[in-house]
Each structure stands twice: as C-alpha cells, then as structure tokens.
Amino acid sequence: MRLVKVIERLLAAIPIMLGVAVIVFVFMRMTPGDPVDIMMGQGGTVSEGEVERLRSEFNLDKPIHVQLGLFLSDLARGDLGNSFTKQQPVASLIGERLPATIELAFGSLFIGLLIAFPIGILSAVKQNSLLDRLSMGAAFLGISMPSFWLGIILILIFSVKLHWLPVQGRIDYDAGLQTVTGLYMLDSILTGNGPALISSLKHLILPSIALGSAVAAIVARVLRSSLLEILRSDYVKLARAKGAGETTVVMKHAVRNALIPTVTVVGLQVGVLLGGNMIVETVFSWPGLGRLVVEAIFNRDFPLVQGAVMVYAFIFVAANLVVDVLYTYLNPKIEM
Amino acid sequence: MTTSTDIRTQPAWRYLLDIRLRLWRRNLADFWAELRKHPVALIAGVVILIYILAALFAPQITAHDPERGSLRQRLIPPAWEEGGSWTYPLGTDGQGRDIYTRILFGARVSLAVGLLSVGISVIIGLALGAAAGYYRGRLDSILSRFADLLMAFPFLIFAIGVMAFMGPGFTNLILALTFKGWVEFFRLARGEVMAEKTREYVEAARVSGQSHTRIMLSEITPNIMQSIFVLATLRMGFMIVTEASLSFLGLGIQPPTPAWGSMVADGRNTLLNAWWVSTIPGLAIVFLVLAINLFGEGLRDILDPRLKIE
C-alpha cells in the first residue's frame, strides 16, 4: 500500500518537473536577442553562412512550439545542450560540479541539525529560561543574517585572524586524493587517505556553518514550538503519571512526535540550501554548481544557466518528495 | 475631524465617513496600547523608523558624495581605529568613498526594493488569491497549479535565473522578486477568503444584493488585511536579504550606485588589510532585517496570533 502511494507521489512530480522546464524555456525566449546574437556578442567574427548554420543547430529557425517540443524531448533524454563558452555538454559540466555542491549541502544540513536539535530541545524543556531566551535570540539573528556576510565574518575570524581554517577551496593541493565519487570526504575514507580527510573536513567547516546557520535557526524554532505543544499534551502527562523519567518523556515520547513537523521544515530548507549555495560557493571559492552558474551568468552562457536552474528545481522537487515519503513513514496516523 | 454624529444634520456619506474615521482612530489607539506591551517590537519599530529617516534625508545628513571618492583617501579605517578620522566615521572603501555615506544612500535601495517588491506582491497575490478563493472553479485550479509550479523553484535560484536572463538593474530586480513573491500572498489570501466566505456577514451582504466585486472589496478584504499585513512585514526582511544577495553576486544594483550587498562584495578584495569595508555594510543589513523580523513577529502576536505556527 505504501509503495503504491510512493509511486503515486513520484508520478505527481512529473507534471511539476515538466512545468518547471516550460517556465525555464519561456524565460529563455524572453531574453532580448537570440543565443546566436549573444554568441556573436562574445567577440567572434562569424560569416553569414555560419550564423545560419548556428541558428539551425540551435533550432532557432523553427517555430516556437517546435522548439519547445525539441527542447523537452532533449531534456527527457538528459540532453541539456552545449555550453556556449566551454564547448562541452551542459549535463557533463553540471555532473562534474554536482558532487562539490552535494557535499556542501550535506555538510550544512549536518551542521544545521547538529546546532538545531540540542538548542530546540533544551529551549523547549527549559522554556523562558535564560538559555531559552538567548538561543531564540540567536535564532532570530541567524534568520536575519545574510549568508554571504556571515561567510566573510567567519573567514575574518577563523582564517585571517586565527589561521585555524582555510579561506577557500575544497582541499589542499598536496593532499593527493584519488577521486571516486567526487565527494572528497567520502573519497578520503574510501581510499584510506587520512591527511586528505582532515584537509577536506577543514575546508568544509566554514562554508557549512555559513550556509547551515539559517537552517539551524529555523529548525530550532520549529522544533521548540512543536515540542512545547507536545509537552503539554495528554499522552505526555500520562507518561509522566506512569512514572517515566523526564529524559524518557522528552526523548522517547515528545521528540519523536515533534520530528514530524520538523522534517517538513527541513525539506523546505533544502530550497534555502540550494539558493544559498550559489552565494556561499562564491564567498569561499567552492568549486560547485553555484559558482559554475554565477560564472555562466556573467559569460551569458544561457544553456548552462538554464540547465543548472532546472537541475536546482529538480533537486528541490525531489528533496520534497523524499520528505513527503519520510513524513508518511514517521507519522503512523497517516495511512499512506 | 468633526465629532458630531447627528444623523439629521449630516448627509449620510458624511455620517458613514465619521464612523469609519472613529473606528480607525480607536483601532489605532488599541494597536498602540498593545504595541507598548511588546517592548521588543516597539524598539524594532523605532529602529526601522530611523532607517527610513536616514534614507529619506541622506543628502542632508552627510556632506560626502556616495559615488565618488578620492584615491588619496583610500581605505581609511573607522574613527575609533588607529589612523581613523571623524571625517569618515565608518572609514572609506577601496575607492576612497565614505562608507557611512554609502550606507545611508544604500538604505534607499534596500528599503525601496523591500517596499516595492512586497507591495506589488501583495497587490497581485491579494487580487488573484481573493478571486481564486471566492469564485473557486477553474480559475482557482489554474491559478493554484501555477502557484504550485512556481513553488518548485527555490526563491533565490528563481530570482537569480530571472536576473540572468533579463539583466541587472532596479526594475528587473523588482520584477525578479515579484515574479514569485506574490505566491505566498496568493495562498494566504485564497485560504482566508475561502474561510471568510462562509461567514454570516458575507451571507448578509449577498442577501442585501451587493455585487461579488463589492463583497470582495469592501466586505471580505478589510477582514483579511491584518494577516496580509503581518505576512508582508515578515516577507520584507526576506526581500531585503535577497536583494542584498543578488547585489553581492553582481546581479542586482549596479555600481557605482551604493547597495549594501555590492558594498560587502567590494570589500572582499581588501579583507586582509581593511576588515571594515565588508563588515560594516553587512551590519547595516543585519540590523535592519533583524528589526523588521522582530517587528513583524510582534505584529503577528498583536494582530494575528493564529499565524503563529511557524
């Protein structure tokens, strides 16, 4: 039964993905000048015949609905076109950069949750205490702080002043890491390269904090408020009345149930992580998808921008799908 | 304003206006009394007011030019640091421009972007949401599907994508932020109108023969404005951070016009020897956004406690 529901949700995501692709296509068409004009603007001298050839290569000589159809069918085959500036398929360029972005996203999520859980739980248990007030104040600050600024402050303190952590990049040049998955920390473990593991971990810390702090702030607030509600509920009172210890009550009865709304919020935070990664990758010169896109925008490399925006949206839809499924598994009340 | 309400001596419209104004005044007095019970929100409100005044009177407050500096005055530290001077209280940037002046003028950009993008989003979201929630049917399902579709894009990615295709600049920035910004207001307005529609006063208005448009505009809308207003305040801080992020990437407001995000970006090159160039404009963003969020939170407690579900 559950499997059927999961498949149903998967199918429901297809029209959304299709719509995403159409929106991106429409935006691309709204851009002043067609791609060939833009390529010419890059400074190349191209003959009239060459222009015609390029126009037909990009299908620009066909009616707009045919162009959309071709675009979608290419997309379905995983063909995102070729980059203007790098003369390579967009899909492979994105594929190369994706592991770095995924590693950063996981690092940020890990740090975000690592901060959020103890703070959220403690603030709820000790409601209105000094600790509660301070941490909720900090959460407000976390939500109000732009990640690029936090990144710069972290660099100033931990790299420039204290020299504890590196300013930029993913790993030291002399780490000698053999890449397997492209996720450097995982690769270091897989190849048993200790120094590379330490180096990649050191590089990952600051960007993950810069990106993860907003997640931490939001998740801590949601966890606290849902815990507060649950701690006042009858079944928690019952558990207490039956003589369960406070730790058991909180950890076993309350937190488990508070996870349900929290997971939903974490899913929405994936969007924040994806958007924020463009910014944080720029601040820390992290060689991921975000930086690739920012560079592509300045080079007016539209196929690359368009492909990346679509990949971002797809990841976001997929992440929320995962959350949806997780949610139904966490909540026994929902018969999927 | 006259306080006389003798219906025999006044035309009806005058009488109604009088009641409206009195209600307004009472609501405002109630609101003020409530706000005083929320000291944090009150202080936040004062901070926002200071920002607004600074933005409005920037040319009167400072004598420096926000866009032109002198290369001989490059990277002067803030006044409290060694080598600083009170001529440039917060120091100068890499082009010798006064950072304090640029922050004052940058407040214009941030506040204008925040107000305009949220304002336009509210108008579009409210109009479409009210129509969808009131009429339901095909209009509702088309609009709702479209809103769902836009929700599939992370906000910043969408805005970056739009700016990438349309190019930088103030107008495009507002467009990029409102293209998706209206969706939240649409969802809120739609839900609220659907709930209000079943209430007795709407029934009564319908029985008394009022048109649908009139019912929506003068009966339902005033009743849902409080929650819209609260959401608008909370979104304002978000829009300001998004604008700053776009300007930081170089996709928003273009130099030499001062914008806080691009000021932070400028300072990255001189981070090692001039920490203030990046740090101080960033603080301006943090304080304003923090104040707006705290004020919004207070407003929510006062006006619409139902929204408090995070």
Side-chain angles (χ1 to χ4, degrees), chain A residues 31 144 149 278 282 298 302 316, chain B residues 152 160 165 249 268 279 282 293:
Chain A
T31 315
S144 310
W149 185 72
M278 288 205 192
T282 305
F298 287 109
F302 287 119
F316 191 41
Chain B
I160 287 175
F165 292 127
L249 290 176
R268 287 177 64 212
T279 315
N293 284 341

Side-chain angles (χ1 to χ4, degrees), chain B residues 192-296:
Chain B
E192 295 270 298
V193 168
M194 267 159 57
E196 292 292 318
K197 212 180 132 184
T198 57
R199 303 268 296 263
E200 274 175 7
Y201 72 88
V202 178
E203 287 288 311
R206 206 171 298 152
V207 172
S208 75
Q210 290 190 35
S211 70
H212 290 307
T213 323
R214 202 183 152 80
I215 291 176
M216 262 195 283
L217 284 179
S218 56
E219 300 289 337
I220 298 181
T221 308
N223 284 304
I224 66 170
M225 271 327 271
Q226 290 196 341
S227 30
I228 296 276
F229 192 59
V230 171
L231 181 65
T233 314
L234 291 169
R235 293 303 287 173
M236 187 98 69
F238 176 78
M239 291 294 198
I240 289 175
V241 170
T242 308
E243 177 277 314
S245 304
L246 289 169
S247 295
F248 173 79
L249 290 176
L251 295 170
I253 302 297
Q254 295 299 293
T257 307
W260 295 338
S262 53
M263 288 171 73
V264 174
D266 283 347
R268 287 177 64 212
N269 302 327
T270 52
L271 205 57
L272 288 177
N273 52 352
W275 60 268
W276 56 90
V277 185
S278 270
T279 315
I280 294 178
L283 275 177
I285 307 173
V286 175
F287 283 137
L288 177 61
V289 175
L290 190 61
I292 291 176
N293 284 341
L294 288 171
F295 186 70

Side-chain angles (χ1 to χ4, degrees), chain A residues 191-268:
Chain A
T191 55
N193 188 339
L197 180 65
I198 292 171
S199 170
S200 54
L201 181 64
K202 274 184 158 178
H203 283 83
L204 188 59
I205 292 176
L206 290 186
S208 298
I209 297 176
L211 193 50
S213 65
V215 176
I218 293 167
V219 174
R221 274 161 58 96
V222 173
L223 186 60
R224 174 182 175 272
S225 63
S226 43
L227 259 180
L228 281 176
E229 205 172 295
I230 288 165
L231 286 172
R232 282 188 219 111
S233 68
D234 288 340
Y235 68 85
V236 167
K237 279 184 201 149
L238 179 69
R240 284 206 178 108
K242 282 164 79 180
E246 194 58 28
T247 319
T248 320
V249 169
V250 173
M251 297 312 288
K252 210 175 144 196
H253 297 275
V255 172
R256 260 182 82 173
N257 286 293
L259 275 183
I260 297 165
T262 312
V263 162
T264 315
V265 171
V266 171
L268 290 174

Side-chain angles (χ1 to χ4, degrees), chain B residues 120-136 139-144 146-147 150 178-179 182-183 185-191 193 216:
Chain B
I120 298 171
S121 298
V122 166
I123 294 170
I124 299 174
L126 185 61
L128 296 180
Y134 191 86
Y135 294 113
R136 307 298 307 274
L139 176 77
D140 180 30
S141 55
I142 291 172
L143 286 173
S144 296
F146 185 55
L150 287 180
T178 42
F179 262 130
W182 62 275
V183 174
F185 295 97
F186 167 81
R187 291 187 151 191
L188 179 65
R190 177 179 172 272
V193 168
M216 262 195 283

Side-chain angles (χ1 to χ4, degrees), chain B residues 3-38:
Chain B
T3 51
S4 161
T5 53
D6 191 343
I7 195 160
R8 285 161 306 180
T9 57
Q10 284 189 355
W13 68 266
R14 189 74 190 270
Y15 178 62
L16 285 172
L17 182 74
D18 196 46
I19 291 180
R20 278 263 152 106
L21 284 175
R22 273 214 241 172
L23 264 174
W24 246 84
R25 222 163 49 168
R26 217 186 66 198
N27 284 344
L28 217 62
D30 285 351
F31 176 72
W32 175 240
E34 277 293 319
L35 191 62
R36 280 169 56 181
K37 287 185 218 154
H38 290 76

